[in-house]
Amino acid sequence: QDRGVPLPPLQALSPRAEESLSQRSLESLHRQVKAKDAKIAKQSDRLKVLSEMLEQRDKQLEELASSRRDREQLQQRVREMEEDMSRSPQRLRLHAEHERRLIEQEVKAEGSEQKMHELEDALRREQRETEALRQELAGLRGHVATSGTSTGALREENAR
């Protein structure tokens, strides 16, 4: 709103002043580039440190997850062992019952085996007795056959 005051006209700079101004601008730009390089280097260092910290954090997270898995597995094993221990009296009873049945079966098997031996012995005796009776019968038949011939001869002689 102060347009009423005109600005003074621009004066052309002398070549020497222009060169000096260019030199200063160039130096200023070099300083700005150096400052930016320093800032970039500093940020790169910070990023590198942060990246290393993130890598370390990732390792720690993996170790934590592994530890949690191990803990869960151990808790599961503890639960299973506690469950097994609570079933132990039942298992002992079942084991004792199975043992008792096995002993009963062994006693039965021994009794059956003894009975089988007794029956085998009785069979052998009967077979021997049967064989002796067969031989005696064969002997008697032979004797009867010879006696029959002798009896017939005696009758003939008696009849004469």
Side-chain angles (χ1 to χ4, degrees):
Q1 298 189 4
D2 284 330
R3 291 184 189 197
V5 178
L7 289 174
L10 290 176
Q11 294 180 359
L13 294 175
S14 69
R16 193 161 198 235
E18 213 174 284
E19 188 180 310
S20 172
L21 184 61
S22 291
Q23 183 66 32
R24 277 185 281 168
S25 292
L26 185 62
E27 288 173 2
S28 173
L29 287 175
H30 278 297
R31 280 193 304 273
Q32 287 176 3
V33 167
K34 279 185 182 180
K36 289 290 181 186
D37 285 345
K39 189 175 180 179
I40 288 172
K42 194 174 186 181
Q43 286 179 337
S44 293
D45 287 343
R46 284 182 62 197
L47 282 174
K48 184 178 177 185
V49 167
L50 289 173
S51 295
E52 288 173 357
M53 289 173 66
L54 284 173
E55 286 177 17
Q56 246 184 345
R57 184 203 66 166
D58 290 345
K59 277 185 182 178
Q60 289 175 345
L61 285 173
E62 286 177 24
E63 289 175 5
L64 178 63
S66 176
S67 294
R68 284 180 176 160
R69 278 191 306 270
D70 292 346
R71 184 190 71 200
E72 183 60 34
Q73 289 173 348
L74 288 173
Q75 285 176 335
Q76 180 63 30
R77 287 178 57 196
V78 165
R79 284 191 294 270
E80 289 171 0
M81 289 178 81
E82 286 173 346
E83 195 174 295
D84 285 347
M85 288 177 65
S86 70
R87 286 191 217 154
S88 274
Q90 286 177 334
R91 269 195 195 157
L92 290 174
R93 270 195 316 273
L94 289 175
H95 183 70
E97 182 66 23
H98 289 287
E99 189 75 25
R100 185 185 60 73
R101 287 181 188 162
L102 182 62
I103 290 170
E104 286 174 359
Q105 288 174 353
E106 287 175 352
V107 167
K108 261 187 192 177
E110 287 174 3
S112 295
E113 193 173 318
Q114 185 178 6
K115 184 73 172 171
M116 184 182 69
H117 287 302
E118 289 172 4
L119 290 173
E120 285 175 344
D121 289 343
L123 176 65
R124 278 191 224 107
R125 272 193 310 271
E126 293 225 3
Q127 286 175 339
R128 281 193 304 263
E129 289 174 5
T130 304
E131 186 59 36
L133 287 173
R134 280 187 191 147
Q135 289 175 359
E136 189 178 329
L137 180 62
L140 287 174
R141 283 185 181 154
H143 184 56
V144 168
T146 354
S147 303
T149 320
S150 300
T151 309
L154 281 176
R155 282 187 194 156
E156 281 180 23
E157 220 177 281
N158 283 340
R160 284 191 228 171

